[in-house]
Amino acid sequence: IPVFILAGLLVHCVFLVSIFDIYFSSPLVHGMTPQQTPLPPPAKRLVLFVADGLRADSLYELDRNGTARAPYLRSILENNGSWGISHTRVPTESRPGHVALIAGFYEDVSAVAKGWKENPVEFDSVFNESKYTWSWGSPDILPMFAKGATGDHVSTFCYAAESEDFGAEDAAKLDIWVFDHVKSFFNSSRSNKTLFSALNEERVVLFLHLLGIDTNGHAHRPNSREYQENIKQVDEGVKEIASLIDSFYGNDGKTAFILTSDHGMTDWGSHGAGHPSETLTPLIVWGAGVNYPQKVTSQSFEDNFLKEWKLENLKRLDVNQADIAPLMASLIGVPFPLNSVGTLPLEYLNTSALFKAESMFTNAVQILEQFKVKMNQKKETTLSILFTPFKPLSASEQINYLKKIRLYIEQQKYDEAVSLCKTLINLALEGLSYYHTYDRLFLGLSIAVSFVGWTTYVILVIIKAHTNLTKTLPANKKKCTVLFYVFASAGMIITLFLLIQTCPWTYYIYCLLPVPVWYAVVKEIPVIQDLATNVLSLHIGQSAGFLLVCILGIEILVFSFFYRSALTVGLFVFAGWPVITQLWIQAKTKALIWTLLCVLLAVFPLMPVVGREPNIPLVIAAGLLTVLISVFSLASLCKSENKYRDNEHLKVYFYQMFSVALSTYVVGSTHNSLQIKQGLPVMNQIISWMTLVFSPVLLLLSPTFLFERLFSILLSLMSTYLLLSTGYEALFPLALFVLMLVWINMEQEALQHYGLSLKPKLAVFNFTCTMDITQFRQLHLDDVRRSFFFVFFIVTAFFGTGNIASINSFDPASVYCFLTVFSPFMMGGLLLLKVAIPFVLVSCAFEAVQVTTQLSSKSLFLIVLVISDIMALHFFFLVKDYGSWLDIGTSISHYVLVMSLTIFMMVMNGLAQLLTTQRLGLPRRNKHHSM
């Protein structure tokens, strides 16, 4: 079995990683030649302001009294420049946003492993192509553009990482720091000849990264006074800097200004997914070479923002975020970034028609260069007989397009030239996508074949080892040897095929995986034949009914990933389970409690996603309720005449209760301290970290009797969970745990009901009593239902308090008891721990169910594996790379979630065994009892 589990883990890790290779490999290619517009540019220098986390509506909308939130920027878009909305893509995080703005391409998701900080792949940017770039702002963003630059012409000035504190008095000080340093930089340049002459060069970029708005949005939400005040301060700062730069250059009219944002933010203060509040960001451009406001009588957009913002009569020019990079490049006359996929938004330019046409031609050639490199790469790694080129852009078609455009420009037919350039750009982008996804179908089929093979194999293992459905037949050695040679030669043919094509090493894993998996299946042909004979002799109606119920159950689970309310439906069905199976006749009280608790838990998936509205009183109430339940449980424990109990262990419970009470106090006190802007109290931070470290130790000191150990697990986990809670979710583990206790009791009744075994006394049941292997019974149909209950409860534990499939449902406020300074990995780790706590509760209860129903823990777990693999296969086919970015992101995160769940359940199975059976001895002589 350990070999089987190890193989299972490896196979599932391959399934999980494959999705990133198939759908999320880096789109970048290298080896293109830089393309530059041959005409003199309208501007000598460019100033780029990026207000991190600024939503479009927050900047453009008017206050209640009808005044602009950012008066200076409002006057610019009304009198001096052009404006619009920049549409960002998922994931709406700072690093991908800045890469799209400054390098012109959409980040590959491999950057998530670097916390969006380092360069997972080298890339070119507007900064790299400039003569000099000076940048001020966050240490998370600026260094990556300096690292990616060739030479030392990109200078960065950053504040300390510790300044990014969500609990600080006011995060606007981060922006004030940037504005102050820019002012002192220009002042010092007057006495520094080298710097002064560098500043007066052409092709100069000044980049101001303003993080205050994002930090205030996380800490106080975008509708807060702090966020809106910060916008006013940024507006004043931009006004001062623009005026300072104009006067420094003697108002020479050769400076272009751009203000935009990397991403927006949800109403509950997070970002990362594809909600419009996250993907719509402002764009205001003014200065040299930029169009003045264009008056219009009417314009139509899908949204109704223009009316709200009172901007119906000013032309709104929307762009994709990656289009801003070519706009910056053409304004100051630098080569377009090599990997840019943006299309130059001509309507922003106030230049000659010739300049626009030439710039557009440069843009088309630059994207076509990438297409050629990508095509040649694919051609080199594919057999010529199997290579299918992208027909709309064959070599002759490319030459045809380029000749036509050049002719139109020479004939001064600029509009026709621009239109043809846009067609060529769209075709080149389509071609890039075509070659990028060239192997997708082939790899996808390999993984799907492995998936089906693996699931079939697990079903066969269950039937062969844990049921009476088949007779154990002696293996036919001759047949086995023939089979082995057949599959080995198939493996060799596949390897040779991949070698000829010089494929990446990961392709070997994906394409060779079906060989051993299906070999293991085909080896069990006698079992399949035996099973077929047995199934045919069964009642067809019963078999079909059972299969239908299984399919329906799995579909409800799949549905719950899209609609949390599906879990409510499932829990209502669970509530009626004792009535359907007549269990209520033999255990009326337990059945009634079970029904009530299922209905209670069914309320949670109907609640809004966690973190939208913090509610600290509810967290405190959950803490007090836990303490109250503990007092009653302890009282009943003291009364019970349990000859196995040791009074010394009551101390452990008192310590755990004290820990829960202390956590409740820390949550309340931290929240109050942050509200009055005094930051996170150091004492609270120490207590929080100590609770996190020592609560598992206390749990291992408790006795291993069934209810006592499970109760200890609850107290231990609750003390940590409370510290990570901000609202009603604090009550969730409590409701879930009580239902789990009743579930363990109900399973006992079910065992008796089906006459599978005698009812053991649960009160004196000990986890550490190694069961006699001969007592293990074979699987019964009802065990499939048991396993389904477990998977259902695991999914409920996951989605019960929020749809975690979306990055934006994580609320940074959850970790404020532990830290308030921005640290993506530490915060992510703590949030994952919060997600895992309800899992642990369900896994420990399932462990108890397995032990008390006299099943080997492996047999039930194998059924669980089959159920979760069938779900994963569903999501594998639901993964898509078309439609809205929200749909694409959701489909991939669902698959990753189910695969992670499966791997996680394997780990949880081991962890549950550790938590229920292991015990640290107290420093005194222990009495040993045997059951």
Side-chain angles (χ1 to χ4, degrees):
I1 284 289
V3 176
F4 180 80
I5 284 182
L6 197 65
L9 264 173
L10 277 171
V11 167
H12 283 89
C13 285
V14 170
F15 289 162
L16 176 59
V17 173
S18 70
I19 206 76
F20 291 100
D21 235 353
I22 298 171
Y23 287 90
F24 271 155
S25 50
S26 173
L28 298 198
V29 285
H30 300 286
M32 291 78 66
T33 46
Q35 301 297 320
Q36 189 173 353
T37 309
L39 299 172
K44 282 186 173 180
R45 65 202 74 89
L46 175 97
V47 185
L48 173 65
F49 301 95
V50 176
D52 204 303
L54 175 61
R55 287 161 53 145
D57 56 347
S58 298
L59 179 70
Y60 293 138
E61 71 188 4
L62 303 172
D63 278 344
R64 282 177 192 157
N65 50 11
T67 58
R69 207 164 272 159
Y72 173 71
L73 290 168
R74 182 81 179 195
S75 74
I76 288 287
L77 70 89
E78 285 177 353
N79 308 308
N80 303 63
S82 293
W83 75 285
I85 285 178
S86 160
H87 296 264
T88 73
R89 276 197 191 175
V90 175
T92 44
E93 297 289 344
S94 288
R95 180 202 154 91
H98 281 89
V99 168
L101 284 171
I102 298 159
F105 70 88
Y106 298 104
E107 180 77 275
D108 59 312
V109 180
S110 59
V112 74
K114 312 262 182 183
W116 309 119
K117 282 187 179 181
E118 291 299 314
N119 291 6
V121 278
E122 287 310 311
F123 59 84
D124 188 24
S125 70
V126 172
F127 294 176
N128 185 38
E129 297 291 357
S130 69
K131 183 91 182 255
Y132 294 106
T133 293
W134 288 276
S135 53
W136 296 264
S138 159
D140 294 336
I141 297 298
L142 305 189
M144 71 175 172
F145 293 105
K147 273 184 191 170
T150 47
D152 55 357
H153 61 284
V154 178
S155 310
T156 57
F157 305 94
C158 308
Y159 37 75
E162 291 72 43
S163 309
E164 298 174 26
D165 188 346
F166 295 138
E169 205 167 308
D170 188 13
K173 66 175 193 288
L174 299 175
D175 299 341
I176 292 161
W177 184 98
V178 170
F179 294 133
D180 289 347
H181 276 72
V182 175
K183 287 174 199 167
S184 61
F185 173 78
F186 274 97
N187 290 335
S188 67
S189 73
R190 294 183 195 278
S191 55
N192 181 337
K193 274 187 180 172
T194 319
L195 180 57
F196 188 79
S197 67
L199 276 168
N200 279 285
E201 291 278 0
E202 290 186 352
R203 306 202 313 278
V204 164
V205 178
L206 303 163
F207 171 42
L208 285 74
H209 176 243
L210 309 165
L211 187 65
I213 293 175
D214 184 66
T215 311
N216 267 325
H218 284 309
H220 307 287
R221 312 283 188 264
N223 295 321
S224 63
R225 187 183 54 80
E226 289 84 353
Y227 185 88
Q228 289 167 6
E229 281 296 316
N230 203 158
I231 293 173
K232 280 200 174 94
Q233 283 167 302
V234 163
D235 183 60
E236 284 159 20
V238 169
K239 182 182 178 180
E240 286 172 24
I241 298 300
S243 148
L244 168 86
I245 288 171
D246 281 340
S247 64
F248 180 86
Y249 289 107
N251 292 313
D252 65 352
K254 286 288 181 186
T255 311
F257 297 90
I258 292 181
L259 178 129
T260 186
S261 169
D262 53 349
H263 55 75
M265 192 172 278
T266 57
D267 289 341
W268 53 95
S270 64
H271 53 82
H275 192 272
S277 60
E278 298 163 273
T279 58
L280 303 183
T281 58
L283 173 64
I284 301 175
V285 190
W286 71 101
V290 180
N291 246 339
Y292 287 103
Q294 298 166 56
K295 295 273 191 288
V296 286
T297 46
S298 68
Q299 45 184 338
S300 64
F301 284 91
E302 280 180 15
D303 51 57
N304 299 316
F305 290 135
L306 289 169
K307 222 172 198 163
E308 280 175 43
W309 301 340
K310 306 268 188 293
L311 289 168
E312 309 99 307
N313 301 326
L314 287 174
K315 192 164 188 187
R316 168 178 148 186
L317 308 169
D318 282 18
V319 301
N320 288 322
Q321 197 172 35
D323 299 343
I324 297 171
L327 175 64
M328 293 195 285
S330 62
L331 282 171
I332 54 169
V334 299
F336 285 39
L338 293 174
N339 295 110
S340 168
V341 292
T343 306
L344 176 63
L346 288 180
E347 287 182 292
Y348 276 88
L349 293 178
N350 180 16
T351 55
S352 67
L354 172 64
F355 182 84
K356 286 181 182 176
E358 284 287 3
S359 298
M360 207 67 197
F361 183 56
T362 307
N363 193 177
V365 172
Q366 169 259 326
I367 292 176
L368 189 63
E369 279 284 312
Q370 293 179 71
F371 167 79
K372 286 179 185 171
V373 172
K374 194 89 174 172
M375 182 183 72
N376 289 333
Q377 277 182 3
K378 196 44 65 191
K379 218 172 185 175
E380 283 164 18
T381 59
T382 311
L383 288 171
S384 52
I385 47 166
L386 296 175
F387 182 69
T388 320
F390 181 66
K391 289 194 177 71
L393 268 190
S394 59
S396 58
E397 281 292 323
Q398 291 175 34
I399 294 163
N400 200 6
Y401 272 111
L402 296 175
K403 273 185 179 170
K404 252 190 192 170
I405 296 167
R406 183 43 68 206
L407 187 67
Y408 278 143
I409 292 174
E410 283 166 8
Q411 293 172 349
Q412 298 186 1
K413 293 181 179 174
Y414 300 126
D415 290 344
E416 288 91 334
V418 166
S419 165
L420 207 54
C421 284
K422 284 180 179 172
T423 309
L424 180 57
I425 287 172
N426 290 333
L427 280 175
L429 289 174
E430 264 179 53
L432 268 172
S433 171
Y434 171 81
Y435 286 120
H436 186 55
T437 59
Y438 193 82
D439 295 328
R440 188 169 289 178
L441 182 70
F442 162 62
L443 294 175
L445 278 173
S446 291
I447 292 295
V449 168
S450 303
F451 237 122
V452 174
W454 168 259
T455 311
T456 312
Y457 178 62
V458 177
I459 293 171
L460 289 174
V461 168
I462 295 169
I463 288 164
K464 191 178 167 188
H466 301 284
T467 67
N468 303 320
L469 287 176
T470 59
K471 304 186 287 289
T472 45
L473 300 163
N476 185 330
K477 282 189 178 175
K478 195 178 178 184
K479 269 187 183 175
C480 284
T481 317
V482 172
L483 269 179
F484 176 76
Y485 283 124
V486 169
F487 277 91
S489 46
M492 284 166 77
I493 292 165
I494 292 168
T495 310
L496 195 67
F497 175 72
L498 295 172
L499 265 172
I500 294 167
Q501 301 202 86
T502 58
C503 290
W505 63 272
T506 47
Y507 282 34
Y508 289 85
I509 297 173
Y510 306 143
C511 299
L512 288 171
L513 187 61
V515 177
V517 170
W518 278 99
Y519 171 63
V521 172
V522 175
K523 245 172 63 173
E524 304 296 344
I525 275 183
V527 177
I528 299 169
Q529 288 168 338
D530 206 16
L531 180 67
T533 321
N534 275 344
V535 168
L536 290 171
S537 66
L538 288 173
H539 189 269
I540 289 179
Q542 273 183 332
S543 306
F546 174 70
L547 204 64
L548 200 69
V549 170
C550 287
I551 292 167
L552 196 69
I554 289 172
E555 289 308 317
I556 284 183
L557 285 176
V558 169
F559 215 64
S560 69
F561 276 69
F562 300 95
Y563 306 99
R564 285 166 59 215
S565 50
L567 293 172
T568 304
V569 175
L571 284 164
F572 278 131
V573 175
F574 280 16
W577 166 58
V579 181
I580 300 162
T581 55
Q582 309 262 303
L583 268 177
W584 67 279
I585 298 169
Q586 72 187 60
K588 283 192 173 65
T589 319
K590 284 178 187 171
L592 185 66
I593 296 170
W594 164 266
T595 303
L596 289 173
L597 285 168
C598 281
V599 172
L600 174 68
L601 199 68
V603 173
F604 283 94
L606 297 176
M607 305 278 272
V609 170
V610 160
R612 308 281 162 104
E613 287 303 321
N615 191 336
I616 299 300
L618 267 181
V619 181
I620 293 167
L624 296 176
L625 190 62
T626 310
V627 173
L628 199 66
I629 292 172
S630 315
V631 171
F632 280 115
S633 305
L634 269 184
S636 67
L637 201 68
C638 294
K639 277 181 195 167
S640 70
E641 295 296 316
N642 187 347
K643 59 178 179 173
Y644 304 115
R645 205 194 61 248
D646 192 328
N647 283 331
E648 191 68 27
H649 297 131
L650 293 179
K651 282 184 187 172
V652 175
Y653 292 123
F654 281 121
Y655 289 141
Q656 289 186 306
M657 282 162 61
F658 176 68
S659 174
V660 171
L662 195 60
S663 293
T664 310
Y665 164 75
V666 166
V667 169
S669 132
T670 302
H671 185 71
N672 289 340
S673 174
L674 290 171
Q675 259 191 334
I676 55 174
K677 299 198 173 165
Q678 288 186 349
L680 167 61
V682 178
M683 196 62 214
N684 287 9
Q685 195 173 13
I686 293 168
I687 292 170
S688 299
W689 283 106
M690 282 179 73
T691 304
L692 181 67
V693 173
F694 289 112
S695 56
V697 179
L698 279 174
L699 143 66
L700 292 173
L701 289 170
S702 66
T704 53
F705 292 108
L706 189 111
F707 288 128
E708 293 173 36
R709 175 49 72 99
L710 287 177
F711 179 54
S712 179
I713 288 170
L714 171 77
L715 290 181
S716 247
L717 296 177
M718 267 310 271
S719 55
T720 306
Y721 197 84
L722 286 168
L723 293 170
L724 292 165
S725 298
T726 58
Y728 75 86
E729 83 269 25
L731 294 161
F732 181 69
L734 209 53
L736 187 66
F737 175 74
V738 183
L739 181 63
M740 291 298 100
L741 282 186
V742 181
W743 181 38
I744 295 166
N745 279 289
M746 287 298 284
E747 288 299 358
Q748 287 305 302
E749 300 296 338
L751 265 190
Q752 252 193 318
H753 182 72
Y754 289 106
L756 293 175
S757 80
L758 293 168
K759 188 171 162 186
K761 284 185 179 174
L762 286 182
V764 293
F765 198 94
N766 197 323
F767 276 116
T768 47
C769 289
T770 48
M771 244 185 164
D772 178 6
I773 239 158
T774 55
Q775 282 187 348
F776 284 148
R777 60 182 179 80
Q778 294 285 39
L779 284 170
H780 179 266
L781 264 188
D782 195 44
D783 294 316
V784 177
R785 191 243 342 126
R786 255 179 210 106
S787 303
F788 178 76
F789 271 30
F790 171 62
V791 179
F792 189 90
F793 286 135
I794 280 280
V795 174
T796 307
F798 204 61
F799 288 117
T801 58
N803 187 342
I804 298 147
S806 164
I807 304 173
N808 74 16
S809 58
F810 283 129
D811 182 14
S814 301
V815 300
Y816 287 171
C817 287
F818 293 90
L819 75 162
T820 53
V821 175
F822 180 65
S823 166
F825 283 116
M826 187 73 79
M827 288 179 162
L830 287 165
L831 287 166
L832 280 177
L833 176 69
K834 181 181 178 180
V835 171
I837 285 173
F839 269 7
V840 178
L841 287 174
V842 176
S843 298
C844 291
F846 187 56
E847 182 66 23
V849 166
Q850 292 179 92
V851 175
T852 56
T853 54
Q854 296 170 334
L855 271 173
S856 92
S857 59
K858 302 298 172 290
S859 56
L860 269 190
F861 187 70
L862 289 176
I863 304 176
V864 168
L865 204 58
V866 171
I867 295 170
S868 52
D869 277 347
I870 294 170
M871 281 169 66
L873 194 58
H874 261 78
F875 287 114
F876 183 80
F877 288 117
L878 286 173
V879 168
K880 53 182 176 183
D881 62 331
Y882 56 87
S884 78
W885 275 95
L886 180 60
D887 294 344
I888 295 168
T890 307
S891 71
I892 285 169
S893 59
H894 280 162
Y895 176 74
V896 171
L897 266 179
V898 178
M899 286 315 303
S900 310
L901 267 179
T902 312
I903 295 169
F904 204 49
M905 283 195 285
M906 290 181 178
V907 176
M908 281 291 160
N909 196 33
L911 181 67
Q913 283 181 359
L914 174 86
L915 291 179
T916 51
T917 57
Q918 294 306 308
R919 176 145 174 246
L920 299 172
L922 287 164
R924 58 189 285 283
R925 192 167 59 81
N926 285 331
K927 295 174 189 171
H928 291 281
H929 295 288
S930 60
M931 189 172 134

